């Protein structure tokens, strides 16, 4: 359909627009292209290179680093016109589930602590629920330093609740309204005696986990959200890691189970009882209703970096060797083989995380670093910053925007025996 040069980040399909960060003679700018014609609809030049996040009819443009020489602000830009709708000091954390709200974190001064979520903040912060269309403040939550935080995030990457643990009390907040919706006083007998690593709270969908680590393993208590009523307690042997503390350990909702563990190994816990169902090396990178794409870290020679596991049993469905993940957004992954030889098809595949099957999207004309698909359009950027956009065949599969060819994930063409 069309091409462009100087693209420095992943392209993103947003309705009938294609968003790209382009570096030109005057600096870096966010450009919106008409997908059908390639015409530039608008250009917006932020003060420096920034992260672009689609949010409904608004594009959230956020800082990716902290510098005293540039304003540390986040901007809301209308997707239709490119007009700046609002501006606020700070950086975004999440979009809110089922609400047109973006969560902005403000700290007292510009520092790296301002970027991203910190479960154990060392500095005071204000969390602000901001209407993504108007920029109106819906709520504010003051987060003191030295507390432990947990957030409930769904498989689409949207947040719904915040929990704050401070001096034996856990308080939960609804991120739609900012209101306090539950409080739990930890019994004195269950509070730490300071002889080992302190317990941590973690979010896993609609459950809050309170996790304590010892050399014997993890003791986990699950609480319901929002009321924080204790639901179950269980102990599991430790995952494969050299650390006794809980640094690097994460939890998340994984369909029928809760995934818990460090980057080296994941434990699948029954959502209703906490019983251990399975263990798998690596950590889930993309999660669906039935399957998840795991990434092993660090990659080891002759061991596949990406593996597809069934979430109910932990069974290995497919091992993806010499494979690149091309789309950064949540949802079904786009994958390509990274060791293609001359004359071989450079096929682009999409993994259906519900069924655990792969669909051919198209055959690419060369190696690409990032791709995004929407409807019948596919946009890809190579490592030299060249962007190309294609219109895919009319008989494509509706889930991937490509050919209607479904391949069992255990029989992928680039797998070795």
């Amino acid at each position: 359909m069309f091409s462009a040069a100087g693209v420095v980040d992943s392209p993103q399909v947003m309705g009938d627009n294609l968003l790209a960060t382009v570096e030109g003679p005057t600096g870096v700018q966010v450009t919106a292209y008409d997908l059908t014609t390639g015409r530039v609809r608008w250009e917006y030049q932020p003060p420096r290179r920034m992260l672009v996040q689609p949010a409904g009819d608004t594009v959230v443009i956020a800082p990716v680093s902290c510098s005293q020489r540039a304003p540390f602000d986040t901007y809301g830009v209308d997707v239709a016109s490119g007009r700046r709708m609002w501006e606020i000091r700070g950086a975004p954390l999440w979009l809110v589930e089922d609400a047109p709200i973006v969560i902005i974190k403000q700290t007292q001064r510009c520092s790296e602590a301002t970027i991203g979520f910190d479960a154990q903040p060392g500095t005071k912060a204000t969390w602000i629920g901001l209407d993504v269309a108007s920029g109106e403040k819906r709520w504010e939550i003051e987060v003191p330093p030295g507390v432990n935080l947990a957030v409930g995030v769904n498989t689409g990457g949207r947040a719904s609740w915040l929990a704050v643990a401070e001096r034996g009390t856990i308080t939960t907040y609804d991120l739609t309204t900012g209101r306090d919706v539950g409080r739990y006083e930890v019994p004195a007998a269950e509070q730490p005696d300071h002889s080992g690593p302190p317990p941590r709270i973690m979010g896993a969908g609609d459950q809050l986990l309170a996790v304590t680590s010892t050399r014997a393993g993890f003791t986990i208590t699950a609480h319901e959200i929002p009321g924080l009523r204790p639901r179950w307690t269980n102990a599991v042997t430790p995952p494969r890691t050299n650390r006794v503390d809980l640094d690097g350990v994460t939890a998340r909702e994984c369909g029928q189970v809760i995934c818990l563990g460090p980057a080296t190994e994941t434990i699948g816990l029954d959502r209703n009882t906490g019983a251990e169902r399975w263990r798998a090396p690596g950590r889930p990178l993309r999660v669906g209703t039935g399957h998840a794409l795991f990434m092993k870290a660090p990659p080891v020679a002759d061991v596949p970096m990406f593996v597809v596991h069934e979430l109910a049993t932990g069974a290995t469905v497919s091992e993806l060797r010499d494979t690149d993940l091309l789309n950064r957004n949540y949802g079904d992954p786009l994958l390509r083989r990274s060791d293609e030889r001359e004359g071989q098809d450079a096929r682009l595949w999409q993994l259906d995380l519900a069924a655990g099957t792969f669909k051919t999207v198209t055959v690419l004309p060369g190696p690409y670093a990032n791709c995004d698909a929407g409807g019948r359009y596919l946009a890809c950027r190579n490592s030299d910053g060249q962007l190309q956009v294609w219109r895919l065949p009319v008989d494509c599969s509706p889930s991937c925007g490509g050919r209607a060819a479904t391949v069992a994930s255990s029989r992928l063409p680039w797998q070795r025996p």
Side-chain angles (χ1 to χ4, degrees):
M1 296 289 294
F2 66 93
S3 62
V7 178
V8 297
D9 207 348
S10 303
Q12 297 184 75
V13 176
M14 188 177 180
D16 59 358
N17 288 292
L18 175 67
L19 300 179
T21 303
V22 181
E23 187 169 9
T26 60
V28 175
Q29 58 192 19
V30 179
T31 303
Y33 298 94
D34 185 310
L35 265 177
T36 59
T37 65
R39 178 178 61 86
V40 174
R41 287 183 164 172
W42 51 262
E43 295 173 329
Y44 180 81
Q45 187 162 15
R48 53 182 159 159
R49 183 173 172 180
M50 305 182 82
L51 176 70
V52 177
Q53 172 66 59
D57 294 329
T58 303
V59 182
V60 178
I61 301 177
V64 294
S65 63
C66 187
S67 170
Q68 299 293 343
R69 297 187 301 271
F72 195 79
D73 293 341
T74 296
Y75 308 97
V77 175
D78 178 66
V79 71
S81 65
R83 181 170 62 92
R84 190 171 76 189
M85 307 290 289
W86 49 263
E87 174 183 348
I88 188 170
R89 181 174 62 86
L93 292 173
W94 286 281
L95 297 174
V96 173
E97 183 178 0
D98 298 328
I101 294 173
V102 59
I103 302 169
I104 302 291
K105 182 172 75 171
Q106 288 183 348
T107 52
Q108 293 176 327
R109 62 182 182 276
C110 176
S111 72
E112 293 306 319
T114 315
I115 303 289
F117 173 66
D118 185 358
Q120 294 179 298
T123 185
K124 178 183 177 182
T126 302
W127 285 31
I128 298 171
L130 200 74
D131 188 294
V132 293
S134 66
E136 175 187 358
K137 290 183 181 180
R138 296 282 189 88
W139 50 258
E140 292 188 11
I141 299 172
E142 297 295 331
V143 177
V147 297
N148 183 194
L149 305 179
V151 177
V153 181
N154 66 14
T155 56
R158 292 187 175 239
S160 57
W161 55 265
L162 165 69
V164 181
E166 183 179 20
R167 294 191 293 272
T169 300
I170 302 174
T171 306
T172 53
Y173 298 89
D174 184 334
L175 293 177
T176 303
T177 63
R179 295 174 182 166
D180 175 341
V181 291
R183 189 162 296 193
Y184 178 75
E185 301 288 341
V186 180
E190 298 178 15
Q191 294 193 26
D193 58 6
H194 305 292
S195 61
R200 297 275 289 275
I201 59 170
M202 304 176 189
D206 60 355
Q207 295 188 52
L208 172 76
L209 306 184
V211 185
T212 303
S213 174
T214 66
R215 293 195 178 276
F218 292 167
T219 299
I220 309 148
T221 299
H223 298 260
E224 291 182 349
I225 294 295
L228 290 178
R229 182 179 67 86
R231 186 168 180 177
W232 52 259
T233 298
N234 191 30
V236 296
T237 56
R240 289 183 294 182
T241 178
N242 295 326
R243 304 184 66 104
V244 178
D245 59 34
L246 292 164
D247 287 349
V249 174
T250 61
R252 68 181 299 174
E253 183 180 29
C254 286
Q256 302 175 39
V257 298
I258 292 171
C259 290
L260 175 74
T264 51
E265 186 176 54
T266 296
I267 306 170
L269 302 173
D270 187 283
R271 288 179 50 84
N272 297 316
T273 66
E276 181 178 326
R277 296 301 182 200
W278 49 261
R279 293 190 180 214
R283 172 177 284 172
L285 186 64
R286 302 284 178 83
V287 176
T289 54
H291 298 79
L293 179 69
F294 278 62
M295 182 174 73
K296 295 181 180 179
V300 181
D302 298 324
V303 175
M305 184 175 179
F306 295 110
V307 180
V308 181
H309 288 281
E310 185 183 28
L311 291 174
T313 64
T316 298
V317 177
S318 181
E319 295 183 339
L320 310 180
R321 299 177 183 271
D322 306 313
T323 301
D324 291 329
L325 177 65
L326 298 187
N327 60 331
R328 75 178 190 189
N329 55 303
Y330 289 91
D332 289 345
L334 292 171
L335 302 154
R336 65 173 286 275
R337 184 175 176 175
S338 57
D339 69 340
E340 291 146 354
R341 300 174 180 87
E342 187 175 354
Q344 289 184 327
D345 283 346
R347 290 182 182 269
L348 181 68
W349 302 84
Q350 186 172 50
L351 168 61
D352 184 334
L353 288 169
T357 57
F358 287 80
K359 295 180 174 65
T360 306
V361 178
T362 190
V363 177
L364 296 172
Y368 287 88
N370 314 106
C371 291
D372 194 20
R376 290 180 57 195
Y377 294 95
L378 173 70
C380 292
R381 166 192 169 270
N382 66 19
S383 57
D384 295 326
Q386 187 71 25
L387 172 71
Q388 289 189 284
V389 180
W390 301 273
R391 191 176 186 186
L392 297 167
V394 68
D395 60 346
C396 63
S397 167
S399 68
C400 66
R403 299 178 184 177
T406 301
V407 182
S409 55
S410 59
R411 307 173 74 88
L412 283 169
W414 67 82
Q415 286 186 281
R416 297 171 184 168

